[in-house]
Amino acid sequence: VVEALRSRFVEMAFVHSVGYVYASREAGCRILAKATRRGAATYTARIFVRHGSGIRTLAELRGKRMAFVDPTSTSGYIYPMVLLIKAGLVQKRDPKTFFREALFAGAHDAALLALLNGTVDAAAVFDDAPQRLLPEKARAAELLAVAESPRIPNDGVCVRQGLEPELLERLTQSLLSLNRPEHRGILRRLYNIDGLVAARDRDYDPVREAVDTLQLPLRSR
């Protein structure tokens, strides 16, 4: 997606939070709007354990088995890792300095199922993933959150470098017009979101800080 924006093959793209940081650094992209879900334009990452495990704090996860989602997942890896680093638990940005085993499940629901099935002792996912993703909704009650990240800006729509300011304004207003009641069904069908709000580049500064804390290989231009 970033390469398509950089090469001017596309003008606009939906990107997640870390994807936008990458697009802005690598291709000079600009954010126009960010998604809202259940009335909020932000969300959090949470680390879950099973009820009855006896684990109640991050420190009690030492030597346990941990499921992350993906190395580029904002809530499924990057923000949880920053939590662990800032708590002084993970050293040298290596989860294996704290956990006995750390694996990437590939998806938020897969990480939760690995936790419920006992494959791992904890899982990092977005805040309401248990309620939204588990096929058996009642199983969400089996899980307990032992840590939560600061607020994360939602995914959004960015545009490539070089578009005229007048066009940027027209595009922004067109995107925001999708919030009208007669259009909201389009957003739900296309992208599973409730609406869009205007976004600014500085909204994603906390994501940049998290990326830099982990020293992810995102080059600055």
Side-chain angles (χ1 to χ4, degrees):
V1 170
V2 174
E3 186 55 40
L5 289 160
R6 176 168 34 206
S7 63
R8 303 193 173 194
F9 184 74
V10 300
E11 276 66 57
M12 301 174 64
F14 280 94
V15 287
H16 60 67
S17 303
V18 171
Y20 173 64
V21 168
Y22 183 77
S24 66
R25 288 185 175 179
E26 293 290 309
C29 295
R30 172 178 169 180
I31 195 79
L32 294 186
K34 56 187 174 182
T36 62
R37 294 180 177 86
R38 296 165 301 285
T42 60
Y43 67 110
T44 64
R46 290 178 179 170
I47 295 177
F48 288 94
V49 299
R50 294 184 301 277
H51 273 294
S53 67
I55 300 169
R56 292 292 180 271
T57 67
L58 279 179
E60 291 172 336
L61 288 172
R62 184 178 296 279
K64 304 297 185 182
R65 298 162 299 171
M66 178 72 181
F68 295 106
V69 173
D70 181 273
T72 62
S73 173
T74 311
S75 59
Y77 182 68
I78 294 171
Y79 267 67
M81 276 289 289
V82 170
L83 269 180
L84 292 158
I85 290 168
K86 290 187 173 181
L89 300 173
V90 166
Q91 307 299 319
K92 300 179 181 179
R93 300 173 299 282
D94 182 356
K96 291 183 179 178
T97 61
F98 179 63
F99 298 108
R100 171 160 57 96
E101 181 183 2
L103 59 86
F104 292 110
H108 290 265
D109 56 347
L112 289 171
L113 290 172
L115 174 58
L116 287 168
N117 294 337
T119 305
V120 296
D121 303 296
V125 293
F126 65 84
D127 46 11
D128 61 348
Q131 292 78 16
R132 289 179 56 191
L133 299 182
L134 288 175
E136 299 176 56
K137 304 303 182 185
R139 300 209 68 185
E142 299 176 32
L143 302 178
L144 171 71
V146 295
E148 185 170 32
S149 76
R151 306 298 299 182
I152 307 168
N154 277 352
D155 40 335
V157 185
C158 72
V159 292
R160 68 165 174 83
Q161 193 175 43
L163 297 182
E164 295 296 326
E166 179 184 352
L167 178 56
L168 294 180
E169 179 61 24
R170 288 170 57 198
L171 288 171
T172 302
Q173 293 310 312
S174 294
L175 287 167
L176 298 181
S177 74
L178 293 172
N179 291 316
R180 295 173 188 163
E182 64 269 29
H183 298 322
R184 287 192 173 226
I186 297 173
L187 291 177
R188 292 192 185 97
R189 287 196 304 274
L190 285 179
Y191 206 54
N192 195 28
I193 61 176
D194 298 330
L196 291 163
V197 294
R200 302 163 297 182
D201 179 75
R202 66 175 179 267
D203 295 343
Y204 293 82
D205 283 347
V207 184
R208 292 185 175 94
E209 179 186 351
V211 165
D212 292 340
T213 297
L214 284 185
Q215 297 184 13
L216 294 179
L218 307 185
R219 301 183 305 276
S220 296
R221 298 196 61 165

